[in-house]
Amino acid sequence: PHSLAGHSIAAEIRLDCNGIELCTLFSENSNKKSKMARHLARIHGTEEDKVNCPFYFKIGACRHADRCSRIHHRPAFSQTILIKHIYRHPTREAELKAAREGRSVDGVEVDESKAREDFLTFFEDFFEELSKFG
């Protein structure tokens, strides 16, 4: 090991398979950096990660959206597509209708069995249409 400006440096010299000399330098800080890199890799996408959003990392969505204090890493491409507002929930539709008519949304009632049947019909139709594309 040699000392350069107060830093301890070690060199490893070896030959590769073609007989070319390879030299790798190690400093006293490389072990600390290695430990930090392992730590960051371990906590990435978990609750311990205070920089990256664990919800967005796991499922691709976050309830805080753009107001989230953590980073959302959006992939450049994906095999998953998101079609926002594709299903109109009957309870929410009844609330919106009541609000437009000036009525209270608190007493809005929806027939649960009809809502379930409508959802199953929607899901089946939607699935069949999307299945045509892969």
Side-chain angles (χ1 to χ4, degrees):
H2 299 284
S3 182
L4 179 66
H7 293 283
S8 176
I9 299 175
E12 175 187 317
I13 299 174
R14 65 187 188 285
L15 298 178
D16 73 359
C17 62
N18 295 321
I20 299 172
E21 191 174 276
L22 301 175
C23 179
T24 307
L25 296 177
F26 299 95
S27 73
E28 62 187 21
N29 292 331
S30 68
N31 193 26
K32 291 178 189 176
K33 289 178 185 176
S34 177
K35 283 183 183 179
M36 179 58 79
R38 281 194 303 272
H39 172 71
L40 292 174
R42 184 183 60 78
I43 68 167
H44 182 74
T46 67
E47 288 294 324
E48 291 181 65
D49 189 349
K50 300 301 178 195
V51 176
N52 302 296
C53 180
F55 299 107
Y56 197 86
F57 179 75
K58 291 175 189 167
I59 62 172
C62 173
R63 63 178 167 219
H64 303 294
D66 292 333
R67 296 182 314 274
C68 186
S69 62
R70 297 180 184 182
I71 296 172
H72 294 165
H73 293 283
R74 290 174 174 84
F77 62 92
S78 175
Q79 293 180 342
T80 303
I81 61 170
L82 171 65
I83 304 173
K84 292 183 177 184
H85 310 293
I86 192 73
Y87 177 71
R88 300 175 71 102
H89 196 280
T91 303
R92 182 66 181 139
E93 288 297 307
E95 291 172 348
L96 290 172
K97 182 179 178 185
R100 280 193 303 270
E101 295 172 353
R103 296 183 290 125
S104 172
V105 297
D106 294 335
V108 173
E109 291 185 23
V110 175
D111 181 4
E112 293 296 323
S113 63
K114 182 174 177 354
R116 180 167 176 74
E117 184 62 34
D118 288 347
F119 173 75
L120 293 175
T121 301
F122 164 81
F123 182 81
E124 189 174 305
D125 291 344
F126 195 68
F127 181 81
E128 286 177 13
E129 287 298 315
L130 289 179
S131 295
K132 295 175 184 176
F133 300 97

